[in-house]
Amino acid sequence: MTPSRAPGPGIDRTVLHVDQEVTGGPEAPGPAGALLPFGGPLRRMDSKVDAVVDRLLTAIGVGEYLPGSKLPAERDLAVVLGVSRSTVREAIGRLAEEGIVHTRRGRGGGSFVTGRTGRAAHEATGRTLDHRWHEIVELVDTASRLQETVVRAAAERRTSADVVELEERLEQFRRADTGMPRQEADRALHAAICDAAHLPRLSELLARLESRISTGAPQHVWGEPEDQPEMEARALSDHEQIVALIRSGQAEQAGVLARRHALIDLDLLAQARRRRRAASRQGNGRA
């Protein structure tokens, strides 16, 4: 089951669209996945490109895109992030100049994460998580509740063929190498659970909601390298129990565990945020 979310307080706020020039004026409505923060005083962005660069650096910094991962196509990022394709293209160009991604042309080409992030990604992650934290908490709480509903439905509606598929996907996750192979196996297991629920509109709603939390990648946050071994062990234990509960038709227990399992993403993001804040305090102390 993919790492996810935690409960948070209800917060009344309005999205600021990244295409709006930030001048300290009032916030205006924006699309799902808007880059800039909800509520409170806003840091002025030099440009929309800066905002997209920060968002992509954050996605790389927290392990949404692991080394070797391919970024979504420019047109898909533009839709999810609510900006033009030219803005996305320039942002990716900046990352390429810094050696953070490399771009391959032709068939099978695209922009791929090199794993060389350094201080730029560290600082961007801190800014983005601080600015979006209350939004993220609310979104992951909502997503965790939907995940509970999807898993309950899977336990109630699964067929024998669904169970076979779930067992195969679980075994693939168990055997996958750490890092990107396990992240891909995790995505496939989640897709099989959604299929077993036989409620495609509900699964689509969950996918849309989760795309607002990140940059719309099919994978979820995989954490920083030092967090991954513990997270993967926790995820495997949860996966084994959830699949067993779905197989035996124990809908209530499966749903409760799924919602708890969905806290993993938020735990990883909170850990990344704490590290950035600690580093910032140390830096200020040396200044």
Side-chain angles (χ1 to χ4, degrees), residues 122-142:
H122 187 89
E123 293 177 348
T125 300
R127 286 193 299 269
T128 303
L129 291 179
D130 279 347
H131 288 158
R132 298 188 69 230
W133 190 249
H134 294 301
E135 173 199 3
I136 289 169
V137 169
E138 183 179 13
L139 288 170
V140 297
D141 181 24
T142 307

Side-chain angles (χ1 to χ4, degrees), residues 38-59:
F38 288 128
L42 297 177
R43 175 177 65 87
R44 180 183 177 89
M45 290 287 187
D46 291 334
S47 73
K48 293 173 284 187
V49 176
D50 292 336
V52 175
V53 168
D54 264 15
R55 188 68 172 266
L56 292 175
L57 282 172
T58 300

Side-chain angles (χ1 to χ4, degrees), residues 159-169:
T159 65
S160 56
D162 292 328
V163 171
V164 170
E165 181 72 10
L166 288 170
E167 296 284 3
E168 289 177 354
R169 296 300 185 185

Side-chain angles (χ1 to χ4, degrees), residues 28 41-43 54 57 74 171 181 224 226 247 269 271 280:
L42 297 177
R43 175 177 65 87
D54 264 15
L57 282 172
E74 289 177 359
E171 185 60 25
E224 297 178 279
E226 55 266 52
R247 181 180 59 238
L269 292 173
Q271 181 63 35
S280 177

